[in-house]
Amino acid sequence: MIRAKITGIGMHVPPRVITNHDLEKILDTSDEWITTRTGIKERRIAEEWEKASDLALPAAEEAIKNAGLTSKDIDAVIVATSTPDMTFPSTACFLSDKLGCSKPMAFDISAACSGFIYGLTVGNSFILSGQFKNVLVVGAEVFSRIIDWNDRSTAVIFGDGAGAVVLSKADGDRGILSAAMKSDGSHWGSLYCPVGEKLRMRGRETFKLAIKSMETASKKALNKAGIDLEKISLVIPHQANIRIINALAERLELPEEKVFSNIHKYGNTSAASIPIAMYEAYKEKKFKEGDYILLTAFGGGLTWGAVVLKF
Ligand code: UT7
């Protein structure tokens, strides 16, 4: 059976750390409020010169190296981002040039925080159709650029970073097993960023939609894959808010330790949050080769979805 298997994974976050205590100095907020309402303790912020493709580059290089490949082996580069280097060319074009790829198909995906799992789904289809052998899927964001640093309800939440995987054509039972992707444009007003302006969010509304959409998509993807939840070693959800993650665990009737979170370190890195979380969970041995894992995300659009894979 031909599958699209994750053969390499990488991540990169900029070194500059902004803690809740740093934010207390510029906003009417407190470490206590941010910690209890979101679970976030600190986030990474890019330097002024750093663009999404700059953050993506080390993550992609690591993923390609771990896959035992070189950039010349990459047939397609997909970058999920809401904070692209430019409107066009795509961040994927900049990234593939920086990587020294051999003129791959390259394009960006705009699906906000669901972008990475949308990208995995597209990469999976390319491989299953026989079109490509190796697809690089990246989530890379510099949300610090679109944050209104005077708005305490959003400034404390987001951070910058990048994560990447290589999807490769493989024979066997390991790889992406199912995907359930959805969108509903009628909810666009709960989370959006007009061109050239700053991000706006209706937090409470987004909160409720997030839990429900990830629960529904997770169940649908499990059903499609024919895998019982008990078989899943780890759920890796989009890192938006620890209360959302815990509520999802409760709805899925999973112990909290089976639902990964590293939001305390990075905040919400939008499309980069799942590959960064997957990278750290793997390094921390929360799952291993051959384990079933479930990825689920939601974001502006609204967009949402889930992917089940055998790692
Ligand atoms: O990737 C998807 C991205 N978005 C999300 O996932 C967001 C989902 N929503 C959330 O995570 C939460 O709704 C927030 C963390 C954004 C807000 O938490 P909340 O518990 O829903 O708070 P709230 O918006 O209902 O605000 C409660 C109070 C308000 O004050 P009043 O009206 O009760 O006096 C806010 O003005 O907290 C106030 N507040 C703050 N106080 C201190 C809002 N932001 C802050 C802040 N520091 N940073």
Side-chain angles (χ1 to χ4, degrees):
M1 168 89 74
I2 295 300
R3 296 248 187 241
K5 188 173 94 171
I6 294 181
T7 49
I9 178 161
M11 70 166 272
H12 175 74
V13 287
R16 185 146 71 107
V17 176
I18 303 283
T19 66
N20 292 347
H21 295 293
D22 294 328
L23 292 176
E24 281 175 348
K25 293 174 199 148
I26 57 165
L27 286 167
D28 178 16
T29 190
S30 64
D31 173 50
E32 199 265 331
W33 191 96
I34 303 169
T35 306
T36 53
R37 298 287 178 128
T38 70
I40 301 165
K41 294 300 279 183
E42 57 187 46
R43 67 288 292 143
R44 302 300 181 96
I45 302 295
E47 297 301 326
E48 230 165 85
W49 59 266
E50 276 176 313
K51 296 193 166 77
S53 66
D54 296 310
L55 298 184
L57 180 62
E61 283 173 335
E62 187 179 5
I64 294 168
K65 190 169 167 242
N66 288 342
L69 300 173
T70 75
S71 58
K72 307 281 181 230
D73 300 312
I74 301 297
D75 305 307
V77 176
I78 302 174
V79 176
T81 185
S82 299
T83 48
D85 293 19
M86 293 188 186
T87 303
F88 72 88
S90 68
T91 305
C93 278
F94 287 115
L95 177 62
S96 58
D97 181 48
K98 287 175 183 173
L99 284 166
C101 295
S102 307
K103 303 184 176 63
M105 181 178 185
F107 61 96
D108 290 357
I109 284 189
S110 170
C113 304
S114 311
F116 179 76
I117 60 168
Y118 265 55
L120 276 187
T121 311
V122 174
N124 182 43
S125 306
F126 280 149
I127 288 172
L128 296 189
S129 70
Q131 201 171 346
F132 296 131
K133 265 192 185 156
N134 298 303
V135 179
L136 178 69
V137 183
V138 183
E141 301 281 16
V142 276
F143 258 57
S144 56
R145 298 279 145 75
I146 56 165
I147 292 302
D148 175 355
W149 287 100
N150 296 312
D151 175 9
R152 66 178 182 172
S153 67
T154 52
V156 302
I157 290 171
F158 295 94
D160 301 337
V165 299
V166 174
L167 280 182
S168 302
K169 185 176 174 182
D171 216 350
D173 64 344
R174 285 170 57 197
I176 294 177
L177 304 182
S178 70
M181 296 296 141
K182 297 291 275 182
S183 74
D184 181 354
S186 71
H187 287 294
W188 70 270
S190 57
L191 180 54
Y192 63 102
C193 181
V195 174
E197 295 182 30
K198 301 294 180 193
L199 175 152
R200 291 169 213 172
M201 181 172 80
R202 294 203 286 260
R204 271 189 214 182
E205 194 177 303
T206 315
F207 193 97
K208 286 183 199 150
L209 290 165
I211 300 164
K212 196 169 171 5
S213 59
M214 289 198 292
E215 180 198 0
T216 315
S218 298
K219 288 180 176 163
K220 197 163 176 194
L222 286 164
N223 200 278
K224 271 183 159 179
I227 300 284
D228 289 337
L229 193 54
E230 295 76 58
K231 274 191 142 184
I232 298 287
S233 298
L234 194 67
V235 176
I236 304 175
H238 169 48
Q239 304 291 304
N241 185 319
I242 194 66
R243 290 187 294 140
I244 293 176
I245 293 170
N246 291 343
L248 178 69
E250 200 176 304
R251 294 267 190 113
L252 294 175
E253 295 178 25
L254 279 174
E256 278 176 20
E257 64 271 13
K258 271 209 161 186
V259 184
F260 187 76
S261 175
N262 60 359
I263 192 170
H264 55 291
K265 292 195 278 183
Y266 307 119
N268 179 345
T269 56
S270 191
S273 91
I274 288 188
I276 290 175
M278 196 182 355
Y279 179 95
E280 292 204 331
Y282 181 65
K283 292 283 169 191
E284 290 169 26
K285 302 196 180 354
K286 303 273 188 206
F287 67 92
K288 58 184 185 317
E289 278 78 7
D291 282 353
Y292 292 100
I293 59 174
L294 185 146
L295 316 175
T296 183
F298 73 98
L302 285 177
T303 56
W304 68 95
V307 168
V308 174
L309 57 93
K310 188 168 185 186
F311 194 77

